[in-house]
Structures are given as C-alpha cells and as structure tokens.
Amino acid sequence: DGGITQSPKYLFRKEGQNVTLSCEQNLNHDAMYWYRQDPGQGLRLIYYSQIVNDFQKGDIAEGYSVSREKKESFPLTVTSAQKNPTAFYLCASKTQGTGSQPQHFGDGTRLSIL
Amino acid sequence: GQQVMQIPQYQHVQEGEDFTTYCNSSTTLSNIQWYKQRPGGHPVFLIQLVKSGEVKKQKRLTFQFGEAKKNSSLHITATQTTDVGTYFCALPNDYKLSFGAGTTVTVRA
C-alpha cells in the first residue's frame, strides 16, 4: 500500500542533543511538509520542500533543519537550539502544483524532553 | 499569509444532536479544505470546496462555502461517537496550507 511512514513513533531528547525524525513516502509525491502540533492547537508549518534538493522555511523554522536528497525522504532534525521541542511532529506530502491538492499525513512522531 | 478563524474551539455534543463548526477569513479564498484528526491520530483529508455557495455532503456531514468565499461551515447531523475528533479547515496558500486552530468535538453518549 502507498503511504507515508514516520519513525520513530516516540522519541526522547536529552538536553543539548540533536535528534532526527524520519519521513518516507512511496506515493511518488513531489512536495513534502513538516508540521508541529502542540496539545489542543492546530498545525504549524516548520519546513516544506517542493522538489528534490530544494526546501523552504515555514512559519516556525528556528531550531530545526531538513534535507531533501531523495524524492521519497524528508528527514527533520530538531537541534539543541530548539528550546521547547516537546510536541507532536507530522510529516505530509502531496502531488506537485499549487496548494489546492490535498495533503496526506503520516502517523506522526511524539518528541519529549528527558 | 492568509489567516482563518475557526469557531468554536471546543464543541461538546449529546449523541444524536446536530452541530456546526465555522471557518471565517477576512480575505476572499480561492478554495478551502477540511480535515479530521481522531484523538491520537493524524489529519485526514475530508473535502475541498472551490465554488461560491458550494454545498457538498458526505453522509451526515454537510460542507458549505460562503457566497463571498470568505467563510465555510461543516454541519454534522445526528452526531455519533465516531464523530469524535478535531476538525480543521485549511487554506491553500501558494504551495502550502494554512490550518485553522480546529474544533475539538466530544460526544456524550
């Protein structure tokens, strides 16, 4: 079945540590997105990529970094500069074009501070 | 980018009752999408509205796009426990989506 796979499901970070969240899709989608969701709140865009080897900052990019070396993969690194990383992280993808195509989401990664 | 206000933030509904959630924008929208996120789950696309005054139905869910294309609503008839979750509207914005804060629905049996 085609879909988006995020791993791990749960992740714990120590102080001063960088951690990387994985997102892989086999939907042949060009565009991929990372969102952060805090309890009881909506989705805030961290980074997005419309094509391989290109990505743009979203609304809350500080303390995060991404890469897009392959069409299928869009990993997110939460750096030690992100002082409040505890949240639910969602990866999404869609076909290329303007925003009107629906986005497909992975199951998410819950990140907590140790 | 475009901003959208979604109300109410929380909706507590007696099973069998109807309710409506609203999304309001200060600017004219080209289209609007609706998503549902079950507790502990991820958002799932429900529908997209494009035309002024458009009304679309999915079983007990009725989606409407305002005549001025500045607001949208989701009406659920005869609420069931399966309707529990958070409903988001989302505005396409270039190659991105801007999500509303969501309406979280709980159901009393």
Side-chain angles (χ1 to χ4, degrees):
Chain A
D1 286 339
I4 300 176
T5 301
Q6 289 188 240
S7 62
K9 192 174 178 75
Y10 299 95
L11 186 59
F12 298 91
R13 196 192 87 170
K14 296 179 181 179
E15 291 282 344
Q17 186 182 42
N18 293 353
V19 291
T20 297
L21 284 59
S22 170
C23 178
E24 303 278 333
Q25 54 97 1
N26 60 5
L27 298 168
N28 199 32
H29 285 169
D30 291 297
M32 296 187 74
Y33 303 81
W34 274 106
Y35 294 92
R36 171 180 172 139
Q37 187 175 34
D38 293 282
Q41 298 190 29
L43 282 68
R44 292 186 290 169
L45 183 64
I46 304 172
Y47 269 98
Y48 65 104
S49 168
Q50 298 173 53
I51 198 167
V52 174
N53 292 323
D54 187 39
F55 50 83
Q56 286 79 38
K57 293 181 179 180
D59 301 318
I60 55 166
E62 185 174 351
Y64 301 96
S65 65
V66 294
S67 63
R68 187 84 188 278
E69 297 177 1
K70 299 187 300 181
K71 185 176 183 177
E72 303 79 20
S73 178
F74 191 39
L76 173 73
T77 296
V78 184
T79 74
S80 57
Q82 173 50 248
K83 298 306 179 187
N84 183 23
T86 298
F88 187 42
Y89 291 87
L90 286 158
C91 178
S93 71
K94 72 171 186 70
T95 56
Q96 188 50 283
T98 58
S100 58
Q101 290 83 14
Q103 293 189 8
H104 302 259
F105 286 82
D107 289 339
T109 294
R110 294 190 184 277
L111 175 62
S112 301
I113 287 286
L114 280 179
Chain B
Q2 292 179 312
Q3 300 282 340
V4 62
M5 178 176 292
Q6 194 169 352
I7 55 172
Q9 186 176 1
Y10 298 99
Q11 184 80 54
H12 308 289
V13 187
Q14 181 70 41
E15 191 173 16
E17 290 184 342
D18 302 352
F19 77 90
T20 304
T21 175
Y22 302 89
C23 276
N24 299 310
S25 171
S26 58
T27 59
T28 302
L29 307 172
S30 58
N31 57 77
I32 191 166
Q33 298 179 6
W34 285 88
Y35 290 77
K36 177 183 178 181
Q37 183 177 22
R38 294 183 184 275
H42 60 270
V44 174
F45 173 77
L46 294 177
I47 210 158
Q48 178 169 269
L49 305 172
V50 179
K51 299 177 183 177
S52 168
E54 188 171 16
V55 177
K56 288 187 176 180
K57 292 190 175 184
Q58 291 180 350
K59 298 182 180 179
R60 295 178 295 101
L61 277 61
T62 301
F63 302 84
Q64 187 165 1
F65 205 6
E67 293 290 341
K69 299 181 74 172
K70 289 186 175 182
N71 54 71
S72 180
S73 64
L74 160 59
H75 180 80
I76 299 184
T77 305
T79 303
Q80 299 178 358
T81 55
T82 54
D83 296 322
V84 164
T86 301
Y87 295 84
F88 295 99
C89 60
L91 312 182
N93 179 10
D94 292 331
Y95 298 94
K96 305 173 288 184
L97 279 179
S98 297
F99 283 83
T103 294
T104 298
V105 177
T106 55
V107 179
R108 299 189 299 273

